[in-house]
């Protein structure tokens, strides 16, 4: 099976499992797990942020961030295809009583100008605009990367208007290896950052929320209330430490293989367009006469898995468990598919 549904499908490597098994653990609800503490220190200092909180999922770190940075009835500015709006089960509404203000934008990215124009007037008819959420890399935008200059302008717009800024950085490391920016550049620009260890980094479980001491203290309260405080989670945190030490640079391979997948798909007679491939996500658009379910079925018959991504769209994601020999097999198989 060649599984390209997501970069979340990877299994821990033998080295990672060994490292997990040897972790020193304690009860993290008491703050006693040395491995969780080590991970939180490691990731927060990498980004030059004061503190971090290890959580079970990226949805939870985003949801906690939105709760911590807002009050009920506030409005959150985000792209209409953002994960926090589209793929978190309506959580911002049910968990924190927030309204999203949905913006359009090139491959999932919004601009400082749009942010300024989206701020509601100070009038009781309107929700209070208090938070902006960016996503980098942008999943629905095909793994697109934000221009750092634009993020800086958005930060300025936020400061000028008293807004907070959260980064859904589930795949931020994909952007970092591609741009060679220092993580601390991002740490300086956001109030909170969410990082997933279970995507391209290849750990089995967990995400970290990064922020100031004060915001993370509040985040710890919210995590407890959301049921996300764990006990001997050091075994899981160890996998994340191992991933940070061994799986960052290799993401370049994922990006190269994604480029190759894009080129292979582009050559197929029934593919209308492949979105630009910036990182590890490839989105292909089929000819109008063909459905995404037809293509996915044909792939599945030959043991290749991908996911539907909207009308006529199919998404492929490269990862730790996909290599050059899988690519060769992929190429052979897709070239044999005929509509
Ligand atoms: C995967 C992902 C998340 C978090 O997802 P979980 O499955 O809850 O860990 C958040 N944002 C983006 C952009 C993602 O791709």
């Amino acid at each position: 099976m060649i599984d390209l549904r997501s970069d979340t499908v990877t299994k821990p490597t033998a080295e990672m499992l060994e490292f997990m098994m040897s972790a020193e653990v304690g009860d993290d609800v008491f703050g006693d797990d040395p491995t969780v503490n080590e991970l939180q220190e490691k990731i927060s200092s990498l980004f030059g942020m004061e503190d971090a909180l290890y959580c079970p999922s990226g949805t939870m770190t985003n949801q906690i961030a939105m709760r911590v940075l807002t009050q009920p009835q506030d409005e959150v500015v985000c792209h209409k295809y953002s994960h926090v709006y589209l793929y978190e089960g309506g959580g911002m509404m049910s968990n924190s009583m927030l309204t999203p203000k949905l913006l359009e934008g090139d491959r999932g990215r919004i601009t400082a100008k749009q942010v300024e124009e989206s701020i509601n007037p100070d009038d009781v008819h309107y929700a209070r605009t208090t938070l902006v959420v960016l996503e980098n890399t942008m999943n629905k935008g095909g793994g697109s990367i934000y221009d750092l200059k634009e993020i800086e302008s958005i930060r300025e717009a936020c400061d000028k208007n008293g807004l907070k800024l959260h980064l859904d950085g589930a795949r931020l490391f994909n952007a970092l290896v591609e741009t060679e920016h220092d993580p601390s550049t991002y740490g300086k620009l956001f109030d909170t950052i969410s990082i997933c260890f279970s995507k391209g980094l290849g750990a089995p479980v967990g995400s970290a929320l990064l922020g100031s001491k004060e915001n993370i203290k509040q985040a710890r309260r919210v995590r407890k209330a959301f049921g996300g405080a764990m006990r001997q989670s050091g075994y899981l945190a160890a996998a994340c430490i191992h991933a940070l030490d061994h799986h960052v640079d290799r993401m370049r391979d994922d990006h190269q293989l994604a480029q190759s997948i894009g080129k292979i798909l582009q050559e197929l007679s029934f593919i209308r367009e492949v979105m630009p491939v910036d990182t590890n996500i490839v989105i292909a658009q089929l000819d109008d006469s063909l459905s995404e379910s037809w293509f996915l079925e044909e792939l599945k018959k030959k043991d290749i898995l991908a996911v539907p991504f909207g009308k006529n769209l199919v998404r492929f994601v490269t990862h730790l468990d996909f290599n050059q020999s899988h690519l060769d097999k992929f190429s052979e198989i897709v070239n044999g598919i005929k509509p």
Side-chain angles (χ1 to χ4, degrees):
M1 206 53 114
I2 296 179
D3 195 343
L4 295 165
R5 287 174 300 170
S6 177
D7 43 8
T8 54
V9 300
T10 58
K11 309 266 169 62
T13 61
E15 295 78 23
M16 180 180 274
L17 278 172
E18 202 173 306
F19 192 70
M20 291 168 73
M21 296 289 279
S22 67
E24 235 189 282
V25 298
D27 188 336
D28 182 53
V29 179
F30 290 110
D32 281 352
D33 192 303
T35 310
V36 171
N37 292 338
E38 183 187 333
L39 173 66
Q40 291 173 166
E41 275 155 36
K42 188 179 177 75
I43 188 80
S44 55
S45 66
L46 187 63
F47 282 82
M49 295 181 93
E50 284 177 4
D51 209 352
L53 187 67
Y54 184 53
C55 295
S57 73
T59 299
M60 189 179 280
T61 45
N62 282 334
Q63 291 295 321
I64 291 174
M66 291 189 286
R67 168 69 75 86
V68 167
L69 299 175
T70 63
Q71 294 295 321
Q73 293 182 258
D74 284 358
E75 190 158 272
V76 177
V77 176
C78 58
H79 192 280
K80 68 174 185 180
Y81 292 149
S82 59
H83 195 281
V84 289
Y85 169 66
L86 211 52
Y87 296 130
E88 300 192 4
M92 75 162 85
M93 289 69 107
S94 62
N95 290 325
S96 301
M97 298 188 228
L98 302 169
T99 308
K101 166 87 60 113
L102 302 175
L103 304 184
E104 311 260 348
D106 173 47
R107 297 178 65 208
R109 294 162 296 191
I110 59 176
T111 66
K113 185 162 175 284
Q114 282 178 294
V115 167
E116 296 215 78
E117 288 167 358
S118 71
I119 297 167
N120 287 334
D122 185 9
D123 173 322
V124 290
H125 289 91
Y126 296 99
R128 255 178 6 128
T129 312
T130 54
L131 174 65
V132 177
V133 177
L134 307 182
E135 189 177 314
N136 196 25
T137 68
M138 214 295 168
N139 174 30
K140 262 291 209 189
S144 56
I145 301 176
Y146 259 95
D147 179 5
L148 190 58
K149 289 251 170 354
E150 196 60 53
I151 301 179
E152 286 165 352
S153 303
I154 291 171
R155 176 77 258 181
E156 274 175 40
C158 289
D159 287 342
K160 215 165 76 191
N161 295 283
L163 311 183
K164 300 283 173 40
L165 185 58
H166 171 67
L167 176 62
D168 177 353
R171 296 193 178 87
L172 182 56
F173 276 99
N174 293 92
L176 289 171
V177 299
E178 204 53 44
T179 59
E180 298 187 340
H181 288 140
D182 192 273
S184 66
T185 315
Y186 287 81
K188 286 192 191 82
L189 290 168
F190 291 91
D191 293 281
T192 49
I193 298 179
S194 163
I195 304 277
C196 280
F197 299 107
S198 57
K199 296 269 164 87
L201 285 168
V205 178
S207 287
L209 183 66
L210 319 185
S212 65
K213 276 219 165 3
E214 198 184 331
N215 282 336
I216 296 303
K217 187 178 174 197
Q218 186 57 23
R220 198 175 287 279
R221 278 190 171 278
V222 177
R223 183 184 68 172
K224 186 67 191 160
F226 283 179
M230 300 178 284
R231 302 296 179 175
Q232 285 74 27
S233 39
Y235 291 117
L236 300 173
C240 305
I241 291 171
H242 180 84
L244 286 172
D245 288 340
H246 302 282
H247 294 173
V248 174
D249 289 337
R250 60 148 303 282
M251 278 182 178
R252 285 178 228 281
D253 303 344
D254 296 349
H255 298 178
Q256 269 188 347
L257 290 164
Q259 289 277 349
S260 303
I261 287 179
K263 288 197 186 104
I264 291 164
L265 293 171
Q266 191 70 73
E267 294 300 313
L268 301 176
S269 62
F270 55 89
I271 298 286
R272 184 162 153 189
E273 201 189 338
V274 177
M275 264 198 204
V277 181
D278 295 339
T279 50
N280 68 332
I281 298 177
V282 185
I283 299 177
Q285 184 182 17
L286 302 168
D287 281 348
D288 284 345
S289 59
L290 298 167
S291 71
E292 63 280 8
S293 54
W294 163 78
F295 189 34
L296 291 169
E297 270 308 307
E298 290 300 309
L299 289 168
K300 199 172 172 187
K301 282 185 207 158
K302 301 276 164 46
D303 290 340
I304 296 176
L305 299 178
V307 293
F309 222 49
K311 191 172 157 17
N312 293 346
L313 299 175
V314 176
R315 186 190 76 170
F316 302 84
V317 187
T318 56
H319 50 70
L320 186 60
D321 292 345
F322 179 81
N323 58 31
Q324 182 65 44
S325 71
H326 295 117
L327 179 77
D328 297 341
K329 192 161 164 233
F330 174 89
S331 175
E332 193 187 309
I333 289 168
V334 293
N335 277 297
I337 294 177
K338 299 282 175 281

